Short mmCIF file of all heavy atoms in Angstrom, two decimals:
data_model
loop_
_atom_site.label_atom_id
_atom_site.label_comp_id
_atom_site.label_asym_id
_atom_site.label_seq_id
_atom_site.Cartn_x
_atom_site.Cartn_y
_atom_site.Cartn_z
N GLY A 1 -4.15 7.07 -20.76
CA GLY A 1 -3.44 5.92 -21.32
C GLY A 1 -2.07 6.24 -21.86
O GLY A 1 -1.57 5.52 -22.78
N VAL A 2 -1.41 7.26 -21.31
CA VAL A 2 -0.09 7.69 -21.86
C VAL A 2 1.08 7.30 -20.96
O VAL A 2 2.23 7.60 -21.29
CB VAL A 2 -0.09 9.23 -22.10
CG1 VAL A 2 -1.15 9.64 -23.10
CG2 VAL A 2 -0.32 9.98 -20.75
N LEU A 3 0.79 6.64 -19.81
CA LEU A 3 1.85 6.38 -18.86
C LEU A 3 2.44 5.00 -18.99
O LEU A 3 1.73 4.03 -19.30
CB LEU A 3 1.32 6.58 -17.43
CG LEU A 3 0.78 7.97 -17.10
CD1 LEU A 3 0.34 8.00 -15.66
CD2 LEU A 3 1.85 9.06 -17.38
N ALA A 4 3.73 4.89 -18.74
CA ALA A 4 4.44 3.65 -18.77
C ALA A 4 4.37 3.01 -17.35
O ALA A 4 4.14 3.67 -16.34
CB ALA A 4 5.92 3.83 -19.11
N ASP A 5 4.50 1.66 -17.33
CA ASP A 5 4.47 0.95 -16.08
C ASP A 5 5.89 0.90 -15.44
O ASP A 5 6.83 0.39 -16.05
CB ASP A 5 4.01 -0.51 -16.36
CG ASP A 5 3.75 -1.35 -15.11
OD1 ASP A 5 4.31 -0.97 -14.04
OD2 ASP A 5 3.09 -2.35 -15.18
N TRP A 6 6.04 1.47 -14.27
CA TRP A 6 7.34 1.52 -13.63
C TRP A 6 7.89 0.13 -13.38
O TRP A 6 9.11 -0.10 -13.36
CB TRP A 6 7.32 2.26 -12.31
CG TRP A 6 7.31 3.81 -12.50
CD1 TRP A 6 6.29 4.64 -12.21
CD2 TRP A 6 8.36 4.60 -12.93
NE1 TRP A 6 6.65 5.95 -12.47
CE2 TRP A 6 7.93 5.95 -12.91
CE3 TRP A 6 9.68 4.34 -13.39
CZ2 TRP A 6 8.74 7.04 -13.30
CZ3 TRP A 6 10.48 5.41 -13.77
CH2 TRP A 6 10.03 6.73 -13.75
N ASN A 7 7.01 -0.86 -13.20
CA ASN A 7 7.48 -2.24 -12.98
C ASN A 7 8.23 -2.74 -14.20
O ASN A 7 9.14 -3.61 -14.08
CB ASN A 7 6.31 -3.18 -12.68
CG ASN A 7 5.75 -2.99 -11.26
OD1 ASN A 7 6.51 -2.59 -10.39
ND2 ASN A 7 4.49 -3.33 -11.08
N GLU A 8 7.94 -2.23 -15.36
CA GLU A 8 8.64 -2.63 -16.59
C GLU A 8 9.85 -1.74 -16.82
O GLU A 8 10.84 -2.20 -17.35
CB GLU A 8 7.71 -2.52 -17.79
CG GLU A 8 6.50 -3.46 -17.73
CD GLU A 8 5.53 -3.28 -18.89
OE1 GLU A 8 5.82 -2.40 -19.75
OE2 GLU A 8 4.53 -4.00 -18.96
N VAL A 9 9.77 -0.48 -16.38
CA VAL A 9 10.86 0.47 -16.61
C VAL A 9 12.06 0.22 -15.66
O VAL A 9 13.22 0.18 -16.12
CB VAL A 9 10.36 1.92 -16.51
CG1 VAL A 9 11.49 2.89 -16.67
CG2 VAL A 9 9.27 2.21 -17.53
N VAL A 10 11.76 0.07 -14.38
CA VAL A 10 12.84 -0.17 -13.41
C VAL A 10 12.84 -1.53 -12.77
O VAL A 10 13.79 -1.90 -12.09
CB VAL A 10 12.79 0.91 -12.29
CG1 VAL A 10 12.99 2.32 -12.87
CG2 VAL A 10 11.49 0.82 -11.50
N GLY A 11 11.78 -2.31 -12.98
CA GLY A 11 11.70 -3.65 -12.38
C GLY A 11 10.83 -3.63 -11.16
O GLY A 11 10.93 -2.75 -10.28
N ALA A 12 9.95 -4.67 -11.04
CA ALA A 12 9.08 -4.79 -9.91
C ALA A 12 9.86 -4.99 -8.59
O ALA A 12 9.43 -4.52 -7.52
CB ALA A 12 8.14 -5.95 -10.10
N ASP A 13 11.01 -5.66 -8.67
CA ASP A 13 11.81 -5.87 -7.48
C ASP A 13 12.31 -4.58 -6.88
O ASP A 13 12.27 -4.34 -5.67
CB ASP A 13 13.02 -6.77 -7.76
CG ASP A 13 12.61 -8.22 -8.00
OD1 ASP A 13 11.46 -8.56 -7.60
OD2 ASP A 13 13.42 -8.97 -8.52
N TYR A 14 12.77 -3.64 -7.79
CA TYR A 14 13.23 -2.34 -7.27
C TYR A 14 12.10 -1.60 -6.59
O TYR A 14 12.30 -1.01 -5.49
CB TYR A 14 13.78 -1.52 -8.45
CG TYR A 14 14.03 -0.06 -8.03
CD1 TYR A 14 15.25 0.29 -7.41
CD2 TYR A 14 13.10 0.94 -8.28
CE1 TYR A 14 15.48 1.66 -7.02
CE2 TYR A 14 13.31 2.26 -7.86
CZ TYR A 14 14.47 2.59 -7.26
OH TYR A 14 14.74 3.91 -6.87
N MET A 15 10.91 -1.62 -7.18
CA MET A 15 9.81 -0.91 -6.61
C MET A 15 9.41 -1.46 -5.25
O MET A 15 9.22 -0.69 -4.30
CB MET A 15 8.62 -0.95 -7.58
CG MET A 15 8.86 -0.28 -8.92
SD MET A 15 9.17 1.50 -8.82
CE MET A 15 7.54 2.09 -8.39
N SER A 16 9.34 -2.79 -5.12
CA SER A 16 8.86 -3.38 -3.87
C SER A 16 9.93 -3.26 -2.77
O SER A 16 9.59 -3.16 -1.60
CB SER A 16 8.46 -4.84 -4.10
OG SER A 16 9.56 -5.58 -4.51
N GLN A 17 11.17 -3.28 -3.13
CA GLN A 17 12.27 -3.18 -2.20
C GLN A 17 12.45 -1.73 -1.68
O GLN A 17 12.94 -1.51 -0.58
CB GLN A 17 13.53 -3.73 -2.80
CG GLN A 17 13.57 -5.24 -3.00
CD GLN A 17 14.69 -5.69 -3.87
OE1 GLN A 17 15.65 -4.93 -4.19
NE2 GLN A 17 14.67 -6.95 -4.26
N THR A 18 12.13 -0.82 -2.56
CA THR A 18 12.36 0.61 -2.24
C THR A 18 11.23 1.28 -1.51
O THR A 18 11.45 2.13 -0.61
CB THR A 18 12.69 1.39 -3.56
OG1 THR A 18 13.73 0.74 -4.27
CG2 THR A 18 13.09 2.84 -3.28
N PHE A 19 10.00 0.92 -1.80
CA PHE A 19 8.84 1.65 -1.29
C PHE A 19 7.90 0.72 -0.45
O PHE A 19 7.78 -0.46 -0.78
CB PHE A 19 8.04 2.28 -2.41
CG PHE A 19 8.90 3.16 -3.30
CD1 PHE A 19 9.29 2.70 -4.55
CD2 PHE A 19 9.27 4.44 -2.92
CE1 PHE A 19 10.05 3.51 -5.38
CE2 PHE A 19 10.01 5.23 -3.72
CZ PHE A 19 10.42 4.78 -5.01
N GLU A 20 7.21 1.31 0.50
CA GLU A 20 6.20 0.59 1.22
C GLU A 20 5.02 0.29 0.31
O GLU A 20 4.70 1.10 -0.60
CB GLU A 20 5.70 1.39 2.42
CG GLU A 20 6.76 1.66 3.49
CD GLU A 20 7.12 0.41 4.30
OE1 GLU A 20 6.48 -0.62 4.08
OE2 GLU A 20 8.01 0.52 5.11
N GLN A 21 4.35 -0.83 0.53
CA GLN A 21 3.22 -1.20 -0.33
C GLN A 21 2.09 -0.17 -0.28
O GLN A 21 1.43 0.10 -1.31
CB GLN A 21 2.68 -2.55 0.08
CG GLN A 21 1.67 -3.15 -0.83
CD GLN A 21 2.18 -3.36 -2.28
OE1 GLN A 21 3.26 -3.85 -2.48
NE2 GLN A 21 1.41 -2.86 -3.28
N SER A 22 1.88 0.45 0.86
CA SER A 22 0.81 1.44 0.99
C SER A 22 1.05 2.64 0.07
O SER A 22 0.13 3.23 -0.48
CB SER A 22 0.68 1.95 2.43
OG SER A 22 1.89 2.52 2.90
N ALA A 23 2.35 2.99 -0.09
CA ALA A 23 2.71 4.11 -1.01
C ALA A 23 2.58 3.65 -2.46
O ALA A 23 2.12 4.41 -3.29
CB ALA A 23 4.12 4.59 -0.72
N LEU A 24 2.96 2.42 -2.76
CA LEU A 24 2.83 1.91 -4.10
C LEU A 24 1.38 1.83 -4.54
O LEU A 24 1.05 2.09 -5.70
CB LEU A 24 3.49 0.51 -4.23
CG LEU A 24 5.03 0.49 -4.14
CD1 LEU A 24 5.48 -0.97 -4.07
CD2 LEU A 24 5.66 1.22 -5.31
N ASP A 25 0.53 1.47 -3.64
CA ASP A 25 -0.90 1.31 -3.95
C ASP A 25 -1.50 2.61 -4.50
O ASP A 25 -2.43 2.54 -5.36
CB ASP A 25 -1.70 0.89 -2.70
CG ASP A 25 -1.42 -0.58 -2.33
OD1 ASP A 25 -0.85 -1.32 -3.18
OD2 ASP A 25 -1.72 -0.94 -1.21
N VAL A 26 -1.02 3.74 -4.08
CA VAL A 26 -1.53 5.03 -4.53
C VAL A 26 -1.35 5.19 -6.04
O VAL A 26 -2.20 5.76 -6.74
CB VAL A 26 -0.89 6.16 -3.77
CG1 VAL A 26 -1.40 7.53 -4.26
CG2 VAL A 26 -1.16 6.05 -2.31
N GLY A 27 -0.25 4.67 -6.53
CA GLY A 27 0.09 4.83 -7.97
C GLY A 27 -0.18 3.62 -8.82
O GLY A 27 0.26 3.49 -9.92
N ASN A 28 -0.94 2.66 -8.24
CA ASN A 28 -1.19 1.38 -8.96
C ASN A 28 -2.65 1.36 -9.47
O ASN A 28 -3.56 1.52 -8.67
CB ASN A 28 -0.92 0.17 -8.05
CG ASN A 28 -0.88 -1.12 -8.82
OD1 ASN A 28 -1.90 -1.58 -9.34
ND2 ASN A 28 0.28 -1.73 -8.83
N ILE A 29 -2.79 1.18 -10.75
CA ILE A 29 -4.13 1.09 -11.34
C ILE A 29 -4.22 -0.21 -12.16
O ILE A 29 -3.46 -0.44 -13.06
CB ILE A 29 -4.42 2.28 -12.27
CG1 ILE A 29 -4.40 3.60 -11.47
CG2 ILE A 29 -5.77 2.13 -13.01
CD1 ILE A 29 -4.71 4.80 -12.28
N ASP A 30 -5.14 -1.08 -11.71
CA ASP A 30 -5.38 -2.36 -12.40
C ASP A 30 -4.08 -3.15 -12.58
O ASP A 30 -3.83 -3.76 -13.63
CB ASP A 30 -6.03 -2.11 -13.77
CG ASP A 30 -7.40 -1.48 -13.66
OD1 ASP A 30 -8.07 -1.72 -12.64
OD2 ASP A 30 -7.80 -0.72 -14.58
N GLY A 31 -3.24 -3.16 -11.53
CA GLY A 31 -2.02 -3.95 -11.55
C GLY A 31 -0.82 -3.30 -12.21
O GLY A 31 0.27 -3.81 -12.19
N GLN A 32 -1.03 -2.12 -12.84
CA GLN A 32 0.09 -1.38 -13.41
C GLN A 32 0.57 -0.32 -12.44
O GLN A 32 -0.21 0.48 -11.94
CB GLN A 32 -0.35 -0.75 -14.74
CG GLN A 32 -0.62 -1.74 -15.86
CD GLN A 32 -0.86 -1.04 -17.17
OE1 GLN A 32 -1.72 -0.18 -17.26
NE2 GLN A 32 -0.08 -1.40 -18.19
N GLN A 33 1.87 -0.27 -12.22
CA GLN A 33 2.48 0.71 -11.32
C GLN A 33 2.80 1.98 -12.14
O GLN A 33 3.89 2.19 -12.59
CB GLN A 33 3.77 0.14 -10.69
CG GLN A 33 4.21 0.98 -9.50
CD GLN A 33 3.20 0.93 -8.38
OE1 GLN A 33 2.75 -0.10 -7.96
NE2 GLN A 33 2.85 2.12 -7.86
N LEU A 34 1.76 2.81 -12.36
CA LEU A 34 1.91 3.96 -13.19
C LEU A 34 2.50 5.15 -12.49
O LEU A 34 2.95 6.14 -13.13
CB LEU A 34 0.54 4.34 -13.81
CG LEU A 34 -0.18 3.24 -14.59
CD1 LEU A 34 -1.46 3.73 -15.15
CD2 LEU A 34 0.71 2.73 -15.73
N GLY A 35 2.49 5.13 -11.16
CA GLY A 35 3.08 6.21 -10.40
C GLY A 35 4.18 5.71 -9.46
O GLY A 35 4.01 4.69 -8.78
N MET A 36 5.32 6.38 -9.46
CA MET A 36 6.36 6.04 -8.48
C MET A 36 6.29 7.02 -7.31
O MET A 36 6.28 8.28 -7.50
CB MET A 36 7.77 6.19 -9.11
CG MET A 36 8.90 5.99 -8.12
SD MET A 36 10.57 6.25 -8.78
CE MET A 36 10.75 4.83 -9.86
N PRO A 37 6.14 6.58 -6.08
CA PRO A 37 6.06 7.47 -4.93
C PRO A 37 7.27 8.39 -4.88
O PRO A 37 8.39 7.98 -5.13
CB PRO A 37 6.04 6.52 -3.72
CG PRO A 37 5.55 5.21 -4.29
CD PRO A 37 6.10 5.14 -5.68
N TRP A 38 7.03 9.64 -4.57
CA TRP A 38 8.14 10.60 -4.47
C TRP A 38 8.12 11.21 -3.08
O TRP A 38 9.14 11.21 -2.35
CB TRP A 38 8.06 11.66 -5.55
CG TRP A 38 9.22 12.58 -5.61
CD1 TRP A 38 10.46 12.38 -5.00
CD2 TRP A 38 9.28 13.86 -6.22
NE1 TRP A 38 11.28 13.43 -5.27
CE2 TRP A 38 10.60 14.35 -6.03
CE3 TRP A 38 8.41 14.58 -6.98
CZ2 TRP A 38 11.00 15.60 -6.54
CZ3 TRP A 38 8.79 15.85 -7.50
CH2 TRP A 38 10.11 16.33 -7.26
N SER A 39 7.06 11.81 -2.70
CA SER A 39 6.89 12.39 -1.34
C SER A 39 5.48 12.20 -0.96
O SER A 39 4.58 12.68 -1.66
CB SER A 39 7.30 13.87 -1.35
OG SER A 39 7.33 14.38 -0.04
N MET A 40 5.25 11.51 0.13
CA MET A 40 3.88 11.08 0.45
C MET A 40 3.63 11.11 1.97
O MET A 40 4.46 10.70 2.73
CB MET A 40 3.62 9.73 -0.13
CG MET A 40 2.18 9.40 -0.40
SD MET A 40 2.08 8.00 -1.56
CE MET A 40 2.56 8.72 -3.08
N ALA A 41 2.49 11.61 2.33
CA ALA A 41 2.07 11.60 3.71
C ALA A 41 0.55 11.49 3.69
O ALA A 41 -0.03 10.88 2.81
CB ALA A 41 2.52 12.85 4.42
N SER A 42 -0.12 12.12 4.62
CA SER A 42 -1.59 12.11 4.59
C SER A 42 -2.09 13.50 4.93
O SER A 42 -1.38 14.31 5.50
CB SER A 42 -2.14 11.06 5.54
OG SER A 42 -1.95 11.48 6.86
N ILE A 43 -3.36 13.73 4.57
CA ILE A 43 -4.05 14.88 5.06
C ILE A 43 -4.67 14.49 6.38
O ILE A 43 -5.51 13.63 6.42
CB ILE A 43 -5.09 15.42 4.06
CG1 ILE A 43 -4.41 15.91 2.81
CG2 ILE A 43 -5.96 16.50 4.71
CD1 ILE A 43 -5.40 16.39 1.73
N THR A 44 -4.22 15.09 7.45
CA THR A 44 -4.72 14.73 8.77
C THR A 44 -5.06 16.02 9.52
O THR A 44 -5.15 17.12 8.95
CB THR A 44 -3.71 13.86 9.54
OG1 THR A 44 -4.30 13.36 10.71
CG2 THR A 44 -2.43 14.64 9.88
#
């Protein structure tokens, strides 16, 4: 419970315009965007 919501820090518009939703979903918990994607792929 120590993390800030990036949607409040930089704005939800910036987050949605900058990143794909699939990447945002990884850092979203219960509607809060607690993680900003930085470098992401998959284990394949």
